[in-house]
Amino acid sequence: APSARRLAHLCRRPTHLRAALLARATMAVGIQLVAFFTLVVVQSAAILLFKLAQTKGAYTFSPASAVACTEVMKFFLAFAQHYMATRATGEELFPTLSPKIIANYFGLSCLYTANNILTFFVLQQADPGTLSLFKSVAPYLCAALLRVVGQRLNRLQWSCVLIQCCAIAIVQ
C-alpha cells in the first residue's frame, strides 16, 4: 500500500492517473486480505483435521509418513512450477545453486519436518485451542532470536508483536 507522502503526491496528478493508482493500491490490499484469510482458514482447518483424524487419542496412520508424503508432493509441485517458468523464459534451471544454499535449505526442511511431526504429537496431548495459542508465540520467538543475533526490529514489527501480546492476553 502507498505511503502518506506517496498518496499526497498522487493527489496532485491528473484524475485518471489518481484513479488508476488508487485502484492498483486497492487491489493490492484486497490480495493481501484474501491471502490473510486464506492462511487463517487453512491453518484452522489443518488443526481441526489433525484433531478429528484421531481415534481414541491416537492416529490410525503414521504421522511421519503423512508429513513425508505431503512434503514430497509440495516438492514436486514447486519443482514443476519452477521448471515450467524457466523453460518459458529460456533461463537455466538453477543458475545460482551452490552447496551452501543446498545445505541451508536442507537444514530448514529438516526443522520444518520436525515441526510438522511435533504438531501431530502435541495434538495427541492437547486440544486445538491450546495448540493455536502456542503457535501464536512464534512472533515472540522470532523477535527474541533476532535480538539475540543482533538484528533490530523496526517500529511496525514491534507494534505487531505488541498487538499480538495484547490479543493473546485478552484470549487467556
Side-chain angles (χ1 to χ4, degrees), residues 34-115:
V34 167
F36 170 74
F37 285 113
T38 301
L39 287 172
V40 168
V41 168
V42 166
Q43 193 67 276
S44 300
I47 291 172
L48 183 62
L49 288 173
F50 286 163
K51 196 63 177 177
L52 290 175
Q54 292 181 16
T55 304
K56 296 181 184 176
Y59 294 105
T60 57
F61 55 90
S62 167
S65 63
V67 169
C69 289
T70 302
E71 296 308 318
V72 166
M73 284 302 298
K74 289 193 303 188
F75 170 76
F76 282 123
L77 288 171
F79 181 79
Q81 288 179 339
H82 180 70
Y83 178 76
M84 288 188 297
T86 55
R87 196 170 124 198
T89 60
E91 296 176 8
E92 287 184 49
L93 198 54
F94 299 107
T96 59
L97 196 61
S98 70
K100 182 178 178 181
I101 291 173
I102 292 171
N104 285 336
Y105 275 106
F106 180 75
L108 286 173
S109 67
C110 288
L111 291 172
Y112 183 70
T113 302
N115 180 40

Side-chain angles (χ1 to χ4, degrees), residues 114-169:
N115 180 40
N116 285 339
I117 292 172
L118 185 62
T119 300
F120 278 103
F121 174 74
V122 169
L123 270 173
Q124 284 180 327
Q125 310 301 321
D127 60 297
T130 304
L131 178 66
S132 294
L133 189 63
F134 279 110
K135 280 189 152 207
S136 64
V137 174
Y140 310 124
L141 293 175
C142 288
L145 288 173
L146 286 173
R147 192 77 174 154
V148 167
V149 298
Q151 285 188 333
R152 293 183 168 262
L153 296 178
N154 64 36
R155 283 184 155 175
L156 178 62
Q157 291 167 327
W158 276 117
S159 299
C160 291
V161 170
L162 183 64
I163 289 169
Q164 190 167 13
C165 270
C166 295
I168 289 175

